[in-house]
Amino acid sequence: MLDIKFVRENLAVVEEAMKNRNSSFDSARFLELDEERRAAIAEEEALQAERNSSSKEIGKLMGQGKKEEAEALKARVAEVKDLLEAASARRAEADEQLKYILMRTPNIPHESVPVGKDENDNPEVRRWGTPREFDFEPKAHWDLGPDLGIMDFERGVKLAHSRFYCLGGQGARLERAIINFMADTHTSRGMKEWWLPALANEETLTGTAQLPKFEEDLFKTTDGLYLIPTAEVQLTNLHRDEVLDGSKLPMKYCAFTPCFRSEAGAAGRDTRGIIRVHQFSKVEMVKFSKPEESQADLEAMVNDAEYILQQLKLPYRVITLCTGDMGFSSCKTYDLEVWLPCYNAYKEISSCSDCWDFQARRANIRYRDPENFKGTRYVHTLNGSGLAVGRTMAAIVENYQNEDGTITVPDVLVPYMGGATIIGKQD
């Protein structure tokens, strides 16, 4: 959530930022509500002062035997009480409407983010690896997986719904291997691993800005809890309403969780295979940083995600998301896109974002650093996929396939696959 003081003092900046984000901001309505709020606060303060002063005066008058004057002043105090309640109600209503606006206003892009309309305006930063040239006709993972008996889309639909799938035999083992490899790699590079609930409450999802604006993208249970769309939700909210020790920043976390997304608005996109589904596995990274260090910490997080792809020897590229393609909470985002032969193109496999103090303000996460300043400041929160497991599996299946229909296991995954180097047809 944006700082109301910043918005008030920088309306032109906010309007321009929202325009660049393909969003909008009603500055006239914001100013109207803000003026109502401040007028109500001023009236409250004046009435409270009058009430306090009158209460003292009533005591003096009673002590002087001036009962009539005291009774008249009591009547005025009763009037002030009603006026104060009305002013407080106006302030509360203005507060609520301002909160409604700010809760639905996206973050302001960092000054280094390129201005653009959509994904076509995302500049490429770098590439790693060279896409493989096959001397045979490669298969898409949605064909090769079922042929080998390691992916079953029909039974996924039978058990649940469209865009669910099952993994069997070495397919299930490969999923587990990828998860363990990613978690082990991140923890070896200094991250603290967590095991987290797959359900979150409304306050938790509000803290990371999935609520209230994006409720249609979530699966909600009958008792008001939601299936998490990413471990970012839980990892970030671990420190909701806390004051962190500045000497311990940056704090670096990772977690594997199942993720659930309704994919509202994504009809017709990537309907085949395991690229865009309702349930998928992901290893997530989250950092809590000092404001002056968060951009450097974002670069380091991107490096952590890249390291996974490099160890798997999967070609990829890094792009910077332009203002029109960024996520709601982000002030700057890099996407990592892995090469997928079935698309003959790069596809997103990780998105790493610096959210500045946007989420921390919503979740009330601060830190104290007595050596550098007095009081507390909001931390900067960062998150990134490290990586999306299903998309990693799809990339491995397609890039490591052989002419005989088998799949070579990437070297770093062989120990996690019980020493198996080839995935063949499963019974």
Side-chain angles (χ1 to χ4, degrees), residues 139-157 159 164-176 178 271-277 279 340 342 388-401 405-407 423-427:
K139 292 183 177 180
H141 70 273
W142 56 74
D143 292 323
L144 186 54
D147 287 349
L148 290 173
I150 62 173
M151 297 179 185
D152 196 319
F153 298 102
E154 293 180 1
R155 287 191 171 96
V157 174
L159 295 177
F164 288 90
Y165 64 98
C166 298
L167 298 172
Q170 290 291 74
R173 181 70 180 264
L174 181 59
E175 174 100 351
R176 207 157 28 94
I178 294 170
T271 55
R272 302 189 71 182
I274 59 177
I275 300 301
R276 190 178 296 276
V277 290
Q279 178 184 337
L340 282 176
C342 68
V389 176
R391 294 189 177 202
T392 303
M393 177 180 286
I396 289 171
V397 168
E398 294 194 8
N399 285 285
Y400 278 87
Q401 63 180 291
T406 62
I407 299 165
I423 296 175
K425 188 170 180 61
Q426 309 289 293
D427 294 330

Side-chain angles (χ1 to χ4, degrees), residues 168-273:
Q170 290 291 74
R173 181 70 180 264
L174 181 59
E175 174 100 351
R176 207 157 28 94
I178 294 170
I179 293 167
N180 289 335
F181 162 68
M182 290 178 179
D184 286 351
T185 301
H186 290 314
T187 54
S188 72
R189 291 164 66 87
M191 295 187 194
K192 179 177 180 179
E193 184 179 4
W194 290 84
W195 191 263
L196 303 164
L199 291 168
N201 58 37
E202 183 176 333
E203 188 175 9
T204 296
L205 286 152
T206 301
T208 43
Q210 278 77 21
L211 291 177
K213 189 173 176 62
F214 302 104
E215 185 168 13
E216 66 174 4
D217 294 325
L218 304 172
F219 287 107
K220 187 175 183 180
T221 68
T222 54
D223 58 357
L225 294 174
Y226 297 82
L227 291 169
I228 60 170
T230 167
E232 167 205 341
V233 171
Q234 305 293 42
L235 286 172
T236 304
N237 279 276
L238 284 170
H239 295 299
R240 188 174 71 239
D241 295 324
E242 293 183 17
V243 177
L244 307 178
D245 181 349
S247 66
K248 295 181 179 179
L249 299 179
M251 297 169 69
K252 301 182 289 185
Y253 294 162
C254 71
F256 152 71
T257 61
C259 304
F260 304 87
R261 298 182 186 177
S262 72
E263 294 292 348
R269 294 183 61 190
D270 304 322
T271 55
R272 302 189 71 182

